[in-house]
Structure formats: structure tokens, C-alpha cells
Amino acid sequence: MSAPAVRGRLQWSVVVPILAVVVLVFAWQRHDHWTILAVVAAVLIGAVLSAVHHAEVVAHRVGEPFGSLILAIAVTVIEVGLIVMLMTSGGDSTSTYARDTVFAAVMITLNGIVGLSLMVGALKHGLVSFNAAGTGSAVATVIALAGLTLVLPRFTTSAQGPQYSTSQLAFAAVASLALYVAFLFTQTVRHRDFFLPVTSDEHGRMTGLVDLDEDGHADPPSAGEAGLSLALLLVSLISVVGLAKVLSPTIESTVKSLGFPYAVVGVVIALLVLAPESIAAVRNASRDRVQTSLNLAYGSAMASIGLTIPALAVAMIWLTGPLELGLEPTQIVLLVISVFVTGLTVVQGRVYALQGFVHLVLLAAFLFLSMQP
């Protein structure tokens, strides 16, 4: 790549996050006019693309699986802030907002990011391979987290309604954080090789790990460039969430005017917040690095639960009103089907396009039933 091209790409990736912050500050209290909302939407898209670029720069510097973790954790930490921010705004539906947003994030990652990545990778490269052992442990952790935090509250009796009592919520928070930390230790320290991109033969069978030093890509960025990208990544992500918050009243009024349930707002916000990870996962799949795509997807699902629930447990000390975490019966059925299909997808360590299509159909079912329960 030529020097002018590098400077051009660097220029837009630096300008857009700064512009997004400026627009966010200006529009925070002045977002009633449609022209301002149109500018916010356009800058939001630019901030998403900027976040993807800087996440890839940082990932190239630190390597896998740490690169995937940086984006997953950063997005989820800011997602927690958005949930708490909207819960403090009051309203009749705030008690289920955390549940709807977290469940939407889980379904989008399990079926949307995974399905799109598998389909793109398989259509471009035929059969695609990944490490079934590492991916299977990630799926098992997601299942345990979802069961503890989203399914069990529907069946407990210590508190009225689909919610945990104070002690039960504390236990779920500690258990969630412990599961997440244990997986991070496994992924980054104990068994790191199980989460690295793999090579495969013409039949899609895994043959070894990708040689990250001989992959034909540019040399890793310097520490200074990576540090700048990390800072701009955080700025971009904060801007994404902030601009999504600015657009949320318009989204809420549109949802209400269309007669959709309030849960749809959580779905839309989750789609916006997860856009950087979705784009990054698809781009990795197109490069035949489906393992990295799956790391992003399942890591995001784990972070969405393992960080959000403990944070909400602490936030409930000063937040008023109930916190309903238990899923509705239709949501539980969708989760069970998604878990079963996910297990069949990862068990062999190689897939073709049909598996990706199946996951995308499940995502479509989730989106449709969110609008028409």
C-alpha cells in the first residue's frame, strides 16, 4: 500500500471519531429537527466504520485472541452504560429493558454474527474450518451464562415475577463474572492455541494454525499507532452509543407509532451497538479466518452477560424499581433452538453455507417475533 493511501486512510479514521464527538455534544440537547437526526445517523455510520478500522489495527498489534477481546469488552462496557442510562430515565418498561437488550445481543451474536460470518466465509472459500474444542468451550460458557441469568429467573419463587431476589441476583452476578474470568484465562493464557485462526485442506479439515508472521499482510503497527487506535476506538464506541442514545427517542416514537412492543427498542439499540463487531467478524470471515469471527461472536455474547449482570447488580443499589431478567416463554424457546443449532454447528469444526443460512433464519424469526410476539 502506498504512503498516500496510508495517510488518507489514517486521516478519515482520525477525523471521524472527533467529528462524532462534536456532533454528539451538539445534538445531545438539540435533536428534534429531522435534519439534525439525519446528520446524527450519518455520523453514527461513520463512527461504526471507524471503530472497526481501529479495532483491526489494535488486533493486528496484539494478535489473537486478544484483538477479539478488546472489541468485545469495549463494546459491552459501553453497552452496560447505555442500559443503566436508559433505566434511569424512568418509564413503565424500564424493568425489562436490560433483559430485552441482553437477550437481543445474545441472539444477534449467536445467530446474526455467526450466521453471516459462516455464510460469507463458506460462499467465498467453500468449507471453512475452526477449532471445535475452543469454540465448543465458548458455546458452553454462553449457555451456562444465559441459563443462569435469563432463564432461571422465570422459574424462581423467592421474588414476585420473573426476577431474582437480592441474594439470588448477587449469586448470579458473582457466578457470571467467575465464568467470564475463567473463560478469559482459558482463552488467553491456559489454552490460547485453541482460539487462533486455523488452516484447512481442500475438504475443509483443519490442518494447523495460521502462520501469522507469513500471511502476506502488512507488518504490525507500532506501539504508538496501536495506542492511538485504541484511544480512537474507545472514542468511536462512546460516540456510537451516545449517538444511538440521541436517536433512541425517535426510535421509541417510531416503534410506538407502528404498534410494536417496547422490546423492539432494545433490539434496535443492540443492533447499533453490535455493528462494529458484526462488520469486523464478516471481514475476518471473508479472509478465511472464521475462528476470529467466532471469537468475536461468542466473546460478545459472554461479555454481554458476564459483564452486564454484575454491573446491573451493583447499579440496583441506587436504581429504583424491579429488574426483570426472566425471559418470556417465546424467548426461551428461541434461545433453546438457537443453542441446539449452535451445538450442531460447532461440533465438527467445519461448516458450509447451509449452517450459516440456518442461523440467519433463526435471527429473522427472533426479529419478526420481537415485532409480532
Side-chain angles (χ1 to χ4, degrees):
M1 184 177 294
S2 64
V6 173
R7 286 195 297 268
R9 187 177 65 174
L10 181 63
Q11 183 178 13
W12 79 261
S13 62
V14 173
V15 170
V16 169
I18 298 174
L19 176 63
V21 172
V22 173
V23 172
L24 175 60
V25 173
F26 176 78
W28 189 255
Q29 299 294 337
R30 310 174 186 86
H31 52 266
D32 295 330
H33 199 276
W34 69 268
T35 54
I36 297 178
L37 293 174
V39 171
V40 169
V43 174
L44 174 60
I45 295 173
V48 167
L49 297 176
S50 176
V52 172
H53 167 73
H54 291 298
E56 291 187 339
V57 171
V58 175
H60 197 190
R61 173 66 186 182
V62 302
E64 287 296 323
F66 298 99
S68 300
L69 288 174
I70 289 173
L71 183 56
I73 294 177
V75 168
T76 306
V77 168
I78 299 175
E79 178 187 340
V80 171
L82 179 60
I83 291 175
V84 173
M85 184 189 307
L86 294 181
M87 287 183 66
T88 57
S89 64
D92 297 333
S93 303
T94 55
S95 63
T96 61
Y97 183 81
R99 178 199 70 187
D100 294 333
T101 305
V102 171
F103 180 62
V106 171
M107 294 298 290
I108 291 167
T109 52
L110 287 184
N111 294 313
I113 299 178
V114 170
L116 196 56
S117 298
L118 295 180
M119 177 167 283
V120 168
L123 289 177
K124 187 172 182 179
H125 303 286
L127 289 173
V128 291
S129 300
F130 50 88
N131 196 314
T135 306
S137 66
V139 172
T141 307
V142 172
I143 294 172
L145 285 168
L148 282 172
T149 59
L150 298 177
V151 178
L152 281 179
R154 170 58 61 178
F155 301 99
T156 55
T157 57
S158 295
Q160 184 178 3
Q163 56 183 304
Y164 275 145
S165 65
T166 302
S167 60
Q168 289 172 337
L169 181 60
F171 172 80
V174 172
S176 298
L177 190 58
L179 280 170
Y180 186 64
V181 171
F183 178 81
L184 285 186
F185 177 78
T186 301
Q187 185 184 34
T188 59
V189 180
R190 187 72 174 179
H191 299 289
R192 181 171 176 266
D193 288 351
F194 285 86
F195 302 91
L196 296 178
V198 300
T199 58
S200 58
D201 58 21
E202 65 274 12
H203 301 293
R205 290 188 290 263
M206 186 180 74
T207 58
L209 298 177
V210 171
D211 185 356
L212 297 177
D213 294 328
E214 300 294 335
D215 60 0
H217 291 286
D219 292 332
S222 66
E225 291 172 330
L228 176 62
S229 284
L230 179 60
L232 291 173
L233 169 62
L234 295 177
V235 172
S236 298
L237 292 173
I238 292 173
S239 300
V240 168
V241 176
L243 294 172
K245 175 64 172 65
V246 170
L247 288 176
S248 62
T250 303
I251 296 173
E252 291 177 2
S253 61
T254 302
V255 166
K256 184 177 180 180
S257 64
L258 293 175
F260 294 152
Y262 187 80
V264 173
V265 177
V267 175
V268 174
I269 298 300
L271 285 170
L272 291 173
V273 172
L274 289 172
E277 292 168 296
S278 303
I279 297 174
V282 171
R283 291 177 66 171
N284 276 283
S286 68
R287 299 168 184 164
D288 201 16
R289 295 193 175 191
V290 171
Q291 183 66 60
T292 301
S293 302
L294 297 181
N295 290 346
L296 277 167
Y298 297 130
S300 298
M302 275 184 279
S304 292
I305 303 174
L307 297 178
T308 300
I309 300 304
L312 288 176
V314 174
M316 290 307 295
I317 296 175
W318 69 83
L319 290 177
T320 59
L323 176 64
E324 298 185 8
L325 293 175
L327 297 174
E328 300 296 333
T330 301
Q331 295 173 319
I332 293 176
V333 172
L334 284 171
L335 179 62
V336 170
I337 295 174
S338 298
V339 166
F340 184 72
V341 171
T342 298
L344 295 178
T345 296
V346 305
V347 67
Q348 292 186 347
R350 55 178 182 163
V351 299
Y352 40 90
L354 175 61
Q355 283 101 320
F357 183 72
V358 171
H359 282 282
L360 291 177
V361 169
L362 289 176
L363 175 67
F366 161 69
L367 296 176
F368 177 77
L369 293 174
S370 296
M371 295 182 291
Q372 299 292 329

